[in-house]
């Protein structure tokens, strides 16, 4: 007789929604107390966790598949910044009573698609009820060759400060969602608005660049709380300062248009967060090789400044005038 589950609501939910997407052998079909991975030889494990909460990190009405993807991708972005390759993920989800199967189905479908796309199998997790909003915490495991994780602390004075992709889109997308009538956004066409919106909804983890970062970067950090604040963290960890120019900060066309209409939005771009791009430092002698590797990986990169002795982050705005910011990044507390 095949006795499988005792049929509690939680068991049914796991069986119906999560078991079908947890196909990796290490997940043991979600039929055991824990998953089991063979420890990779000659590698270090890289571990990270990130939680997203409805009403804080996403809008309660956002499509459930996008929410699931965002929850996974913010973790994959951390792995990429450390030069790591994903091994798997654990999902803890707190659901308000009465969360429908439709929502969960969509959530699981989005998660399953991304787990496959980024080769980061779902290995297990926990499912609980909450009297609060939906809360999702993902723990991701990755690996790097022994001793090769890229730290925040390795930058050297003179290293180029570089960043992937474009900065500020997500922060502007969030602002536009909250205040669509703001003049800077009214001038954008539908396509431009959709671009900003999507960049908030769905980060693009730069896993394709992980090996190039491992190869060429002296330090790296995932840009999640705001470019300037995250650069300040990297600089402090490295015992250095940094100087960047606003002209060097890569902007998408829609972001550039918004700043043209309202120059003050540059501050939002520099400090807004939710970029999930990677900020890294590269010695001048390695820069060309890094740029070639990034081009081969299909990831745009730009140089925006340099590491220097001292502390803090100097920002040079239009005409080389220093820019002072009231706050460097987003903080929950
Ligand atoms: P336990 O009571 O031992 O914590 P559970 O009944 O919570 O076990 O979980 C049973 C199995 O289902 C475990 O393998 C666990 O990792 C998995 N699991 C539970 N919730 C989730 C989830 N949200 N996503 C993925 N796997 C889950
Ligand atoms: Mg449990």
């Amino acid at each position: 007789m095949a006795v499988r589950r005792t049929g509690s609501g939680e068991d049914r939910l796991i069986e119906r929604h999560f078991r079908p997407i947890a196909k990796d052998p290490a997940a043991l079909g979600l039929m055991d107390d824990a998953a089991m991975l063979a420890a990779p030889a000659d590698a270090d494990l890289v571990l990270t966790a990130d939680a997203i909460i409805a009403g804080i990190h996403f809008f309660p009405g956002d499509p459930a598949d996008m929410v699931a993807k965002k929850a996974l991708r913010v973790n994959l972005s951390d792995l990429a910044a450390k030069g790591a390759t994903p091994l798997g993920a654990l999902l803890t989800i707190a659901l308000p009573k009465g969360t429908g199967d439709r929502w969960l189905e969509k959530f699981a479908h989005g998660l399953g698609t991304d787990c496959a796309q980024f080769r980061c199998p779902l290995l297990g997790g926990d499912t609980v009820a909450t009297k609060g909003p939906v809360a999702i915490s993902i723990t991701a495991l990755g690996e790097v060759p022994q001793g090769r994780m890229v730290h925040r602390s390795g930058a050297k004075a003179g290293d180029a400060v570089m960043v992937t992709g474009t900065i500020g889109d997500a922060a502007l997308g969030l602002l536009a969602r909250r205040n669509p009538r703001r003049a800077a956004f009214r001038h954008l066409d539908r396509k431009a608005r959709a671009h900003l919106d999507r960049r908030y909804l769905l980060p693009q983890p730069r896993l394709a660049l992980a090996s190039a970062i491992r190869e060429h970067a002296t330090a790296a950090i995932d840009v999640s709380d705001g470019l300037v604040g995250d650069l300040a963290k990297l600089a402090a960890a490295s015992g250095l300062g940094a100087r960047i120019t606003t002209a060097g900060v890569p902007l998408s066309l829609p972001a550039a248009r918004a700043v043209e209409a309202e120059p003050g939005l540059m501050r939002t771009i520099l400090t807004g967060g939710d970029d999930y791009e990677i900020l890294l430092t590269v010695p001048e002698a390695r820069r060309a090789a890094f740029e070639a590797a990034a081009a081969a990986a299909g990831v745009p990169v730009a140089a925006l400044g340099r590491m220097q002795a001292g502390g803090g982050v100097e920002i040079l705005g239009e005409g080389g005038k220093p820019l002072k910011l009231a706050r460097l990044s987003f903080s929950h507390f």
Side-chain angles (χ1 to χ4, degrees):
M1 189 176 69
V3 178
R4 305 201 95 146
R5 291 197 177 274
T6 48
S8 76
E10 180 189 331
D11 290 340
R12 186 198 68 85
L13 194 151
I14 294 166
E15 180 147 359
R16 170 155 178 191
H17 297 292
F18 295 123
R19 196 169 162 220
I21 61 166
K23 288 169 295 208
D24 193 277
L28 305 173
L30 305 185
M31 301 289 277
D32 212 318
D33 294 309
M36 191 186 72
L37 268 182
D42 306 320
D44 289 330
L45 289 176
V46 179
L47 311 170
T48 183
D50 257 302
I52 65 172
I53 315 288
I56 294 178
H57 301 89
F58 61 94
F59 288 76
D62 282 347
D65 51 344
M66 295 295 146
V67 172
K69 284 167 184 264
K70 184 166 184 173
L72 181 68
R73 289 175 180 212
V74 298
N75 281 281
L76 297 179
S77 180
D78 277 319
L79 291 184
K82 301 298 100 184
T85 307
L87 288 172
L90 300 165
L91 162 73
T92 297
I93 185 164
L95 297 166
K97 288 221 163 66
T99 303
D101 272 326
R102 285 266 301 278
W103 192 92
L104 276 162
E105 213 157 85
K106 212 164 169 196
F107 181 91
H109 183 257
L111 186 64
T113 308
D114 261 14
C115 284
Q117 180 184 337
F118 296 109
R119 296 167 197 252
C120 183
L122 179 66
L123 299 179
D126 201 14
T127 306
V128 296
T130 176
K131 289 179 177 159
V134 178
I136 301 147
S137 172
I138 288 186
T139 300
L141 294 77
E143 64 172 321
V144 290
Q146 226 160 58
R148 301 294 305 280
M149 190 181 95
V150 182
H151 296 252
R152 293 179 177 180
S153 55
K156 300 278 179 290
D159 285 355
V161 175
M162 304 190 74
V163 73
T164 59
T166 58
I167 295 296
D169 298 317
L172 294 178
L174 176 58
L175 212 57
R177 261 181 95 163
R178 291 206 169 123
N179 190 358
R181 304 181 142 296
R182 193 172 174 138
F185 304 123
R186 274 209 315 267
H187 297 303
L188 299 181
D189 60 23
R190 278 218 348 219
K191 224 178 111 199
R193 285 285 295 278
H195 173 82
L196 298 180
D197 208 40
R198 194 157 180 87
R199 289 276 287 159
Y200 171 76
L201 211 54
L202 194 63
Q204 297 298 326
R206 301 300 189 178
L207 282 169
L209 209 59
S211 70
I213 291 169
R214 224 161 49 221
E215 211 55 48
H216 303 293
T218 47
I221 185 169
D222 152 60
V223 184
S224 54
D225 295 336
L227 179 74
V228 175
D230 287 332
L231 177 54
K233 286 178 190 166
L234 182 150
S238 297
L240 292 171
R243 169 195 286 226
I244 60 169
T245 62
T246 55
V249 176
L251 300 184
S252 68
L253 214 55
R257 289 226 181 92
V259 174
E260 220 171 276
E262 189 185 333
L265 286 177
M266 195 64 197
R267 290 168 189 272
T268 303
I269 287 169
L270 293 171
T271 61
D274 261 330
D275 294 297
Y276 301 106
E277 295 291 352
I278 298 172
L279 185 73
L280 65 155
T281 56
V282 182
E284 207 46 58
R286 305 202 72 104
R287 182 156 152 197
F290 172 69
E291 283 169 344
V299 178
V301 294
L304 57 158
R306 213 164 273 295
M307 300 304 294
Q308 59 188 15
V313 177
E314 274 178 52
I315 309 162
L316 302 182
E318 295 245 341
K321 270 205 309 221
L323 187 72
K324 292 266 175 272
L325 297 169
R327 59 178 191 98
L328 301 185
S329 59
F330 176 79
S331 171
H332 288 284
F333 300 101

